[in-house]
Amino acid sequence: MASDVVIWHYPDAVTGHSLAQKALSSLGNISDRDYPSAHYFSCDIPALDMDRYEASLHGDNKKTADAVVGICNERQGKAVDGRLLLVELRMDYRTVSNLSVSSLAEKETHTRQLLRSCPDDRRIDLSYCLIFDYKLEQQAYSWMARIRRSDKVTEAWRTFTPATFCNYINIGKTMPYTPCRETVEAGERFKSAARTGTIEVFDKEWSVIESYMLACALRNEFGECAYLSEVLTEAVALFDTAKLDDESDRAYFDIINEDIMRLAGRHQPHKSPK
């Protein structure tokens, strides 16, 4: 089955493709051409019009998937693995009973062949997205689940409505920042130290995470710093100062707290690094 890793809209995969000169359009325009006045897609999703491209070729034309859009994954707030995603529009169907798996599979195969024949070094996602009218959502989902059990050709096929497809590719949404594992582990150790309520343990881990953040800043890894700035604030809130019996320990915690807040404030998310 197709991967469930979160994907993101990545228009560069199609706007910069060699087919763009002949076939660049948008999913909305392609949909409006096939389903006039329906306006299924209000958002801007650049797409390769594969029917138009096929019609421009010499010889006998074969059927293709309706469109190809661009998607990617996210790593540390940046787009990675930009690739192509095949889309088939089935919004005129009122029942799934007359859907032909073999016909859809032929369209998928031919479209992949066309894309592979291009000089672009651009990967093609395994998924094949079939988009239905929202009234057919549950019926299409049940059909796909049933067919997938009996036909391996459909293993990576997915069914959507226009709205759920836009959600699937996270159209119009801001890509989050995912810190690396080392950063997450450093943050978890510091929060664990705060939970102990022991000033010696907390001070030791503070020195470690402070050095780590400074190293990240020197490498211009400001996304890591922004993530850890929130961790620092959380950790201070976790520390139970009521466990500190000694006046000097409480005074020392105040000094550490001031240093922590200063460093955290310097790397707050959405602020320019200084």
Side-chain angles (χ1 to χ4, degrees):
M1 188 172 175
S3 172
D4 288 325
V5 174
V6 175
I7 66 170
W8 298 85
H9 180 223
Y10 186 64
D12 288 3
V14 293
T15 58
H17 198 275
S18 62
L19 295 187
Q21 187 173 359
K22 289 185 177 181
L24 185 62
S25 182
S26 72
L27 201 55
N29 287 339
I30 295 170
S31 173
D32 289 346
R33 179 192 63 201
D34 295 342
Y35 313 102
S37 304
H39 303 304
Y40 283 109
F41 296 93
S42 58
C43 49
D44 183 22
I45 305 176
L48 297 177
D49 185 340
M50 298 309 295
D51 288 340
R52 188 206 300 175
Y53 176 66
E54 177 70 10
S56 72
L57 301 177
H58 299 295
D60 295 331
N61 293 141
K62 296 180 180 179
K63 291 185 176 181
T64 66
D66 291 311
V68 173
V69 303
I71 60 170
C72 68
N73 295 118
E74 174 271 334
R75 184 181 301 132
Q76 294 183 278
K78 296 180 180 180
V80 295
D81 191 19
R83 57 196 186 277
L84 305 172
L85 178 67
L86 274 59
V87 175
E88 180 71 17
L89 304 177
R90 301 281 85 187
M91 278 89 78
D92 56 341
Y93 275 59
R94 295 296 173 258
T95 176
V96 297
S97 59
N98 55 348
L99 277 170
S100 169
V101 171
S102 60
S103 177
L104 289 169
E106 287 174 4
K107 296 175 78 170
E108 178 189 14
T109 298
H110 184 54
T111 304
R112 292 184 185 278
Q113 289 172 343
L114 289 174
L115 293 171
R116 291 191 186 108
S117 68
C118 297
D120 308 81
D121 184 19
R122 184 65 77 182
R123 190 166 76 83
I124 309 169
D125 194 83
L126 293 176
S127 298
Y128 184 27
C129 299
L130 312 179
I131 304 181
F132 297 84
D133 186 274
Y134 76 95
K135 295 177 182 177
L136 223 65
E137 181 175 15
Q138 189 56 50
Q139 189 181 147
Y141 180 83
S142 299
W143 171 81
M144 190 71 266
R146 184 175 66 255
I147 295 299
R148 191 180 286 125
R149 288 195 293 268
S150 59
D151 195 332
K152 288 187 176 180
V153 170
T154 66
E155 188 175 10
W157 291 13
R158 293 173 176 265
T159 62
F160 298 94
T161 67
T164 60
F165 179 74
C166 289
N167 286 335
Y168 175 60
I169 64 173
N170 283 296
I171 187 74
K173 298 179 183 177
T174 301
M175 189 176 288
Y177 185 88
T178 303
C180 69
R181 185 175 65 179
E182 184 180 2
T183 298
V184 173
E185 290 175 350
E188 290 304 312
R189 285 195 302 271
F190 188 52
K191 286 192 286 188
S192 294
R195 291 188 187 97
T196 67
T198 305
I199 193 66
E200 291 81 10
V201 174
F202 188 64
D203 183 31
K204 180 180 178 181
E205 285 301 324
W206 158 237
S207 296
V208 172
I209 202 166
E210 181 185 27
S211 297
Y212 181 75
M213 284 185 70
L214 291 174
C216 287
L218 287 173
R219 294 193 296 266
N220 297 317
E221 295 173 351
F222 298 115
E224 306 296 296
C225 294
Y227 171 83
L228 288 174
S229 73
E230 296 186 339
V231 170
L232 296 181
T233 303
E234 292 174 22
V236 168
L238 288 170
F239 195 98
D240 185 1
T241 55
K243 293 182 179 180
L244 299 176
D245 297 326
D246 192 282
E247 185 68 31
S248 62
D249 285 347
R250 286 194 290 272
Y252 189 50
F253 175 80
D254 289 341
I255 294 172
I256 297 175
N257 183 32
E258 186 177 332
D259 290 341
I260 289 173
M261 291 300 99
R262 186 182 298 112
L263 184 59
R266 191 183 306 159
H267 295 289
Q268 282 296 321
H270 312 304
K271 288 186 178 181
S272 299
K274 297 178 180 179

